[in-house]
Amino acid sequence: MNKRPITYILSFLLLFTVLVGMQVYFLVNSYALRQKEIVETVRVKLKDLEDDVDKFDDSYYMKNKTYLELFVALDENKINEDSVRRFYNDRSETVSKKLKKYVDSLFMDLGYQVAVKKELTSIYSNSKNRDLLNKNITIYESSKDKGLENSLTSGTWEMSYSKSTSEKERINEQVNEDEKIISYGFLVSRKTTFIIANLYWILFNELLLFVVASFLILIAILYIFYITYKNLLKQKKQVLVLHDMVDNVSHEMRTPISTMKLASVNLQKKHNDSNFSVLDRQILRLEKLLQPLTDPDVTTEKSDYGLNDINHLLSDLQTAEINGQVNLLSFPEQTIQVNKVLFETIISNLITNSFKYGATQVGLSVELLEDVLQVKVQDNGHGIDTDELPYIFEKFYRVQKDNIHNTKGLGLGLYIVKKVVDQFNGDIKVKSQINKGSEFLIVLPYGK
């Protein structure tokens, strides 16, 4: 089996896979790079956010003792974390509305849907040496949109609070010596993040042209390869057909040439009108054999074929093959409609093949049975071993037995017979016994 086409296909698939991998690599890199650029653009535009929002939130958050009292109550287990969360939620509604309007104004021209969120991430009590929060608390957020969070700012502040036994609250003030002071210290951590809710849609729109172009290029490469490979197969098939035709014609020309040579020798010895008839028939046969090379359609043409035609064929074969006797056992009384060249090709190849392999007597029967034409060729030759029967119709196959390898021929005769039978959707069967001979039975559809 020729492995070159498989090698070509595998090589192309390997190179195509590499190309696809490169396209995917560049696409992923472009995606990541553009995502990073968009995120950095948003981060730069939000750089002043902290100062702007702190004017109405964080400054109050840092100075108003309500927050500190809330932390102290949480530290003393007078309230729970949910109470602190509700406190910030109530406070954040007003801030969030202002924040959303501010953020939307920043990115209106760019078409980015940006949401900002600030959270308390930790309230660490210095007196208790523990974190008072189990989960982050949202201070404010401009939108509830979901997406990939990106860090904007983060920080930790130390805050302190003092109160006396008389419950007089003091923040960073000097107290009387007779009053007992209780001090509290907290490390408060916060972070600000932002998301770009329509980030993936933006990236998709920006990279769509690149993706479509890459996909079309890959499809075009596949299509070009398919067309090229299809054309190569077509050309290869045409070359094989041409080779078969040349092999067939060259094989079939041997018998007419041999017959003509013998007729020419006889003419030189003695003038005889029958020799001219033989020459005329063989010249006509050569013309018919060469016609398929210039006009392939002639192989389907049918004409009347009668008893005189088959007798002339057997006579000519008898002239060329002088080592045996051909007997016509039966033939239809009326003429039959066949392609003369192909019909005679079947018969002549079977008969000459019998003589090549030891036959001295060959019998031919042609019978018309309802809608089939049956051709039978029997000989008394060497016979064919049962193990070799499945291979005798293969191209160039020759039976390997005794001194048969000395027999002239290329192993094309039975191959050509099988090709012709297949062309007409017929069937061929073989019976053979060693040293007793062989029988070839061909059944061809007729009248269809």
Side-chain angles (χ1 to χ4, degrees):
M1 180 181 175
N2 189 357
K3 295 184 178 180
R4 292 180 64 183
I6 297 178
T7 303
Y8 293 152
I9 293 175
L10 292 178
S11 299
F12 171 78
L13 290 177
L14 177 61
L15 293 176
F16 186 76
T17 302
V18 172
L19 179 60
V20 171
M22 293 176 62
Q23 293 278 34
V24 172
Y25 173 78
F26 287 125
L27 179 61
V28 171
N29 276 3
S30 299
Y31 180 90
L33 180 61
R34 184 57 185 145
Q35 179 178 351
K36 184 177 180 181
E37 288 177 353
I38 293 174
V39 169
E40 286 304 314
T41 299
V42 173
R43 183 176 283 118
V44 170
K45 279 188 167 290
L46 291 175
K47 65 181 180 180
D48 297 328
L49 177 66
E50 295 291 284
D51 293 338
D52 291 340
V53 178
D54 283 351
K55 292 177 181 178
F56 52 83
D57 179 75
D58 283 0
S59 58
Y60 179 84
Y61 167 78
M62 296 293 292
K63 296 177 181 179
N64 194 301
K65 65 179 181 179
T66 304
Y67 289 92
L68 290 174
E69 291 174 346
L70 197 68
F71 296 163
V72 170
L74 182 63
D75 192 20
E76 293 179 345
N77 294 322
K78 294 180 179 179
I79 61 174
N80 56 27
E81 186 176 331
D82 290 338
S83 299
V84 178
R85 195 177 307 279
R86 284 193 296 271
F87 174 84
Y88 278 100
N89 286 341
D90 295 340
R91 174 80 180 108
S92 68
E93 288 184 5
T94 302
V95 177
S96 295
K97 291 179 181 178
K98 296 179 180 179
L99 180 63
K100 177 174 175 53
K101 185 179 296 186
Y102 172 81
V103 173
D104 289 346
S105 67
L106 290 178
F107 300 101
M108 183 179 298
D109 294 338
L110 295 176
Y112 297 171
Q113 297 174 6
V114 179
V116 179
K117 179 169 67 174
K118 175 173 283 191
E119 297 175 289
L120 278 177
T121 58
S122 174
I123 303 175
Y124 188 82
S125 171
N126 292 331
S127 60
K128 299 289 182 64
N129 292 323
R130 66 182 181 91
D131 193 345
L132 302 180
L133 294 183
N134 294 314
K135 187 178 180 181
N136 294 356
I137 294 178
T138 300
I139 299 175
Y140 57 71
E141 60 181 337
S142 64
S143 174
K144 298 286 186 179
D145 293 336
K146 302 295 181 182
L148 180 65
E149 287 191 353
N150 301 278
S151 176
L152 181 61
T153 60
S154 62
T156 301
W157 289 265
E158 185 173 2
M159 307 180 70
S160 61
Y161 176 80
S162 300
K163 69 176 182 178
S164 64
T165 54
S166 63
E167 299 299 325
K168 293 182 179 179
E169 297 177 349
R170 300 169 181 265
I171 302 176
N172 298 325
E173 296 180 359
Q174 186 67 32
V175 299
N176 297 329
E177 293 181 358
D178 58 341
E179 293 179 326
K180 185 177 180 181
I181 303 301
I182 301 176
S183 299
Y184 298 87
F186 303 97
L187 289 177
V188 181
S189 297
R190 297 178 299 169
K191 72 173 183 178
T192 304
T193 59
F194 66 92
I195 64 168
I196 307 172
N198 62 340
L199 175 63
Y200 299 118
W201 179 248
I202 294 170
L203 292 172
F204 174 77
N205 284 335
E206 293 186 357
L207 298 178
L208 179 61
L209 181 62
F210 177 76
V211 173
V212 171
S214 299
F215 179 75
L216 292 178
I217 290 173
L218 294 176
I219 293 297
I221 292 174
L222 280 176
Y223 179 73
I224 292 172
F225 175 79
Y226 169 75
I227 294 298
T228 303
Y229 185 70
K230 186 177 180 180
N231 288 337
L232 287 175
L233 290 180
K234 183 178 180 181
Q235 292 176 5
K236 181 180 178 182
K237 185 177 181 180
Q238 291 175 341
V239 170
L240 290 176
V241 170
L242 179 60
H243 283 178
D244 280 346
M245 189 173 294
V246 172
D247 288 341
N248 295 350
V249 171
S250 63
H251 180 273
E252 294 304 306
M253 287 175 66
R254 294 178 59 190
T255 298
I257 290 174
S258 297
T259 306
M260 292 171 66
K261 286 174 65 177
L262 290 173
S264 178
V265 170
N266 292 334
L267 279 174
Q268 293 176 15
K269 292 179 180 179
K270 183 181 178 181
H271 183 278
N272 191 326
D273 290 341
S274 64
N275 289 324
F276 287 107
S277 298
V278 171
L279 288 173
D280 287 339
R281 287 196 299 271
Q282 297 308 315
I283 290 172
L284 182 61
R285 178 167 172 77
L286 286 175
E287 288 180 346
K288 294 288 186 180
L289 288 172
L290 291 173
Q291 270 188 318
L293 294 176
T294 56
D295 187 6
D297 292 335
V298 300
T299 58
T300 61
E301 293 179 357
K302 294 182 179 181
S303 59
D304 290 338
Y305 195 85
L307 187 58
N308 288 336
D309 295 305
I310 193 68
N311 284 330
H312 287 153
L313 172 64
L314 298 182
S315 176
D316 293 345
L317 289 174
Q318 192 78 52
T319 302
E321 304 290 344
I322 58 176
N323 296 326
Q325 179 68 36
V326 182
N327 300 308
L328 180 60
L329 303 179
S330 64
F331 193 86
E333 293 182 2
Q334 72 275 26
T335 59
I336 57 176
Q337 290 288 318
V338 294
N339 182 286
K340 184 174 181 179
V341 174
L342 297 180
F343 184 70
E344 290 187 348
T345 294
I346 293 174
I347 294 175
S348 61
N349 276 334
L350 290 176
I351 292 175
T352 55
N353 192 71
S354 294
F355 286 143
K356 286 178 183 178
Y357 292 96
T360 58
Q361 294 290 327
V362 177
L364 170 65
S365 300
V366 179
E367 296 180 323
L368 186 58
L369 305 173
E370 295 182 358
D371 58 351
V372 296
L373 182 65
Q374 183 174 283
V375 179
K376 184 187 295 183
V377 176
Q378 300 168 286
D379 66 54
N380 61 348
H382 298 307
I384 306 171
D385 191 277
T386 305
D387 294 337
E388 296 195 81
L389 285 177
Y391 310 105
I392 60 175
F393 296 108
E394 292 182 2
K395 193 174 185 179
F396 304 125
Y397 184 82
R398 301 181 67 194
V399 175
Q400 304 298 315
K401 184 179 182 296
D402 299 333
N403 65 343
I404 289 178
H405 60 276
N406 295 323
T407 304
K408 295 180 180 180
L410 298 174
L412 288 172
L414 294 181
Y415 168 76
I416 294 172
V417 171
K418 185 67 166 59
K419 290 276 288 185
V420 174
V421 171
D422 289 343
Q423 180 178 341
F424 289 98
N425 299 317
D427 186 32
I428 183 168
K429 298 178 181 178
V430 186
K431 296 178 182 179
S432 186
Q433 289 184 347
I434 299 298
N435 298 325
K436 289 187 178 182
S438 303
E439 176 185 291
F440 289 81
L441 177 63
I442 295 174
V443 179
L444 299 173
Y446 188 82
K448 295 183 179 180

